[in-house]
Amino acid sequence: MRILIAEDERITRRTLQRQIERWGHEVVATEDGMDAWERFQEQQFDIVVTDWDMPRLDGRKLLERIRAEADSRYVYLIMLTARTEKSDLVAGMESGADDFLAKPFDRNELRVRLNAGKRIIELERTLAAKNDALVSANTRMSSDLEAAAVMQQDLLPKDLPTLATRFAWHFEPCDELGGDILNVMPLDKTNVAMYLLDVTGHGVPAALLSVTLHRVLSTETSGSTLLTTRDPAGEHHAITPPRGVAEELNRMFPMDNLTGRFFTLAYAILDETTGILRYMVAGHPQPILARPGQPAEHMAGRGLPIGVFDEPNYEEQAVQLKAGDRVYFYSDGIPEARNSDDDMLDPAGLLELIDAARAGTLEDDLSECMRSFKEWCGSVPLGDDISVLALEIPS
Amino acid sequence: MSDALNEQELMESIDGDLEFLEETIEIFDEDGPPLLEEIARAATADDAAALAKSAHALKGMLSNFYAAPAVAAALELERKGRAVDLANVEAAVDRMRLETQRVREALQHILEKNRS
């Protein structure tokens, strides 16, 4: 242990120093409070033994300074004094003293008090080390999560300059990482595929599966034939219909019995030349269609979530879109959100929010819609990931 | 054995280390007389605060030698100073000198006895 002594009377100081050094401690002896304070700022000590009455800076002020020092290390403070008045002891304790020792000090008393201090210091050091390890682990995990969140955001659709159809999206995990994911991909010159999926749960476990699914549902992944099948020459390709995509995913991703994790999906293919949107909904909220001059309405289609049943018998839907039509795919985090009155937004509430924001561009209106949604939620934090993928047929 | 100090307690406190005792006596010889002079000056000058302070310091020094009579004399002076009541302070100062001298002699006796 490193022990700092502050004592202006030389014989007491030397006696203390000699005695404590004989017990194997490292001692720095100073002649008053100011001298001790300067040493304390330069070096680290485990225990400080200080006299009460000293020139320049007395023991009480020294203790107050040491306690005010914003150092996370605990220092055990022993006040050495001839004073025995209770009020003096109280004042000393209020200044931060852990213990007292009367002068002339008794060797055995000094030894047991130093040992008590040593136990406290070692306990505090152990706790501090564990706390440091926890902070370090937490910092590393937070950093990893932030990096993973950036990577997940990077999976979202980028600029789509070749597409005539307008797209807009909103993606907001309730934790750092989300179980929702969405994307828009041209399949060929006329067909564009889009999906929005929602892995049950949220956070890291859900995000791991959502990122895997993003890779599987990508046309950029070499060797992927889930969305399109090429002939051996690579010159022609066949587009897998939405129902086929859902059935294949159902086969590839049966529900994990250990975690009970599965996902819901809305997958669609828009033929930009005809305006026909083929889609299927697997356990997902029904998409919303907003035609110019008409109230937004839910589109037909229901189906079982992906991975839950062996023979889900998915049904594919089709709708003829016209200029100005908008379609919204969204995760259940929105209609199932609750506000401070514990009311659920419900699918009808979402229709109202969409209808209330239809005056501007698709992107601006979606931003306004999400702003209204947050306003409706009030101070209630998101309980689930929320995501929306919207398209508009140009006029 | 002198009653100026408790030799047994003193020797126990320093593990019978005569070399260290000599070291502390040297400090006592250096720091004790100036404190006594300051006590006498303060008493003469009716400087109660200085009297209390110097008597307190001397008391602390003497307590290391388990010198109860000298510590009592210093405590009396310290109390007079704190109470700003310097009545009969000269007699108390004389007693202080006497007891301090007796401590010094007792210490010398211990040194000589243990060396022989």
Side-chain angles (χ1 to χ4, degrees):
Chain A
M1 306 272 281
R2 297 201 78 239
I3 298 175
L4 177 64
I5 294 172
E7 167 62 78
D8 60 327
E9 198 277 293
R10 283 209 288 165
I11 297 177
T12 303
R13 186 165 75 236
R14 272 296 293 133
T15 307
L16 268 174
Q17 181 176 12
R18 171 183 172 277
Q19 189 59 63
I20 296 174
E21 282 175 346
R22 284 166 76 98
W23 289 324
H25 301 299
E26 191 181 339
V27 176
V28 172
T30 59
E31 61 186 38
D32 61 35
M34 188 57 77
D35 190 12
W37 174 239
E38 285 165 3
R39 293 300 191 91
F40 184 83
Q41 288 176 298
E42 294 164 6
Q43 304 171 31
Q44 285 200 325
F45 294 96
D46 302 305
I47 297 179
V48 175
V49 180
T50 180
D51 187 25
W52 182 295
D53 290 316
M54 289 183 291
R56 298 209 294 164
L57 188 72
D58 67 21
R60 184 178 173 177
K61 291 197 176 71
L62 173 63
L63 296 192
E64 285 173 351
R65 286 193 183 188
I66 289 174
R67 282 287 180 252
E69 180 88 327
D71 190 332
S72 60
R73 278 168 53 93
Y74 192 77
V75 180
Y76 196 78
L77 306 179
I78 299 175
M79 189 74 118
L80 186 68
T81 177
R83 293 173 182 247
T84 51
E85 291 290 328
K86 275 188 180 172
S87 58
D88 291 340
L89 297 184
V90 169
M93 293 299 263
E94 284 177 345
S95 305
D98 293 295
D99 207 348
F100 283 87
L101 188 63
K103 286 199 291 188
F105 66 88
D106 177 90
R107 278 187 310 162
N108 289 326
E109 211 176 315
L110 174 63
R111 184 170 50 78
V112 296
R113 277 166 161 66
L114 288 178
N115 284 342
K118 187 181 175 190
R119 282 196 298 276
I120 298 287
I121 292 298
E122 285 173 349
L123 184 65
E124 192 274 335
R125 299 283 192 270
T126 305
L127 282 173
K130 284 181 178 169
N131 191 46
D132 286 348
L134 283 173
V135 168
S136 168
N138 190 48
T139 303
R140 180 173 53 76
M141 283 191 286
S142 296
S143 167
D144 287 351
L145 282 174
E146 281 171 23
V150 170
M151 290 168 71
Q152 191 175 43
Q153 293 280 345
D154 198 45
L155 297 177
L156 296 173
K158 303 288 192 304
D159 297 334
L160 300 165
T162 60
L163 294 176
T165 310
R166 295 193 190 97
F167 287 93
W169 54 86
H170 181 91
F171 173 80
E172 188 172 344
C174 66
D175 294 328
E176 288 87 346
L177 297 174
D180 288 4
I181 196 82
L182 58 90
N183 205 359
V184 177
M185 302 153 290
L187 296 177
D188 58 21
K189 287 178 182 171
T190 58
N191 290 286
V192 54
M194 68 213 73
Y195 70 83
L196 191 154
L197 66 84
D198 176 2
V199 178
T200 52
H202 44 81
V204 175
L208 285 172
L209 182 52
S210 73
V211 170
T212 302
L213 290 165
H214 178 273
R215 299 293 294 169
V216 169
L217 286 167
S218 169
T219 52
E220 295 162 17
T221 307
S222 61
S224 168
T225 55
L226 183 57
L227 305 186
T228 55
T229 310
R230 292 184 181 280
D231 65 14
E235 292 172 358
H236 303 288
H237 71 275
I239 293 173
T240 312
R243 178 179 171 175
V245 169
E247 286 172 348
E248 184 61 12
L249 286 173
N250 193 67
R251 190 188 63 74
M252 291 170 70
F253 294 94
M255 183 173 72
D256 181 349
N257 286 329
L258 197 63
T259 61
R261 204 168 296 287
F262 58 91
F263 63 98
T264 65
L265 169 75
Y267 180 79
I269 299 171
L270 173 68
D271 184 330
E272 289 189 301
T273 56
T274 64
I276 293 175
L277 181 79
R278 287 184 295 159
Y279 67 96
M280 57 76 50
V281 176
H284 211 71
Q286 289 172 291
I288 290 171
L289 174 61
R291 295 193 191 274
Q294 296 180 33
E297 58 182 4
H298 287 102
M299 293 160 67
R302 280 194 178 280
L304 297 166
I306 305 284
V308 180
F309 298 97
D310 290 339
E311 301 289 339
N313 296 320
Y314 292 119
E315 285 184 18
E316 192 171 302
Q317 311 289 331
V319 62
Q320 174 68 59
L321 299 179
K322 295 170 185 166
D325 284 356
R326 290 177 176 181
V327 175
Y328 295 82
F329 302 97
Y330 54 93
S331 59
D332 61 5
I334 297 177
E336 292 178 7
R338 290 181 183 273
N339 64 12
S340 51
D341 294 329
D342 204 32
D343 293 332
M344 198 184 283
L345 180 66
D346 286 332
L350 179 55
L351 291 177
E352 287 176 22
L353 292 180
I354 287 173
D355 278 337
R358 289 175 63 175
T361 64
L362 181 69
E363 197 165 20
D364 288 348
D365 286 351
L366 180 57
S367 295
E368 172 59 19
C369 181
M370 297 320 294
R371 192 198 60 73
S372 304
F373 169 67
K374 291 292 187 63
E375 195 175 277
W376 180 86
C377 291
S379 58
V380 180
L382 293 177
D384 196 1
D385 306 325
I386 59 170
S387 51
V388 183
L389 172 60
L391 68 84
E392 182 185 70
I393 305 298
S395 301
Chain B
M1 184 182 286
S2 167
D3 64 354
L5 52 78
N6 187 324
E7 182 178 344
Q8 188 180 346
E9 274 194 296
L10 169 61
M11 295 310 284
E12 274 178 14
S13 76
I14 58 173
D15 305 302
D17 185 342
L18 283 177
E19 206 172 306
F20 185 69
L21 181 62
E22 274 190 90
E23 183 186 335
T24 58
I25 291 170
E26 276 178 30
I27 298 172
F28 184 45
D29 286 343
E30 286 173 22
D31 293 358
L35 277 175
L36 270 175
E37 289 311 309
E38 173 61 11
I39 286 169
R41 185 205 65 77
T44 307
D46 280 344
D47 188 345
L51 177 66
K53 191 179 170 191
S54 49
H56 175 80
L58 186 58
K59 183 187 72 177
M61 186 182 295
L62 289 163
S63 70
N64 289 294
F65 299 117
Y66 296 85
V71 167
L75 181 61
E76 185 188 354
L77 283 169
E78 184 183 350
R79 283 181 175 158
K80 281 182 181 296
R82 287 195 196 284
V84 199
D85 174 13
L86 302 192
N88 300 319
V89 71
E90 295 83 2
V93 172
D94 288 344
R95 188 155 59 252
M96 185 77 260
R97 285 189 198 279
L98 176 66
E99 292 298 345
T100 305
Q101 182 58 31
R102 290 179 65 223
V103 171
R104 183 63 187 84
E105 287 166 5
L107 290 170
Q108 193 62 33
H109 177 71
I110 292 170
L111 282 181
E112 287 169 4
K113 182 177 70 177
N114 285 284
R115 275 188 189 132
S116 61

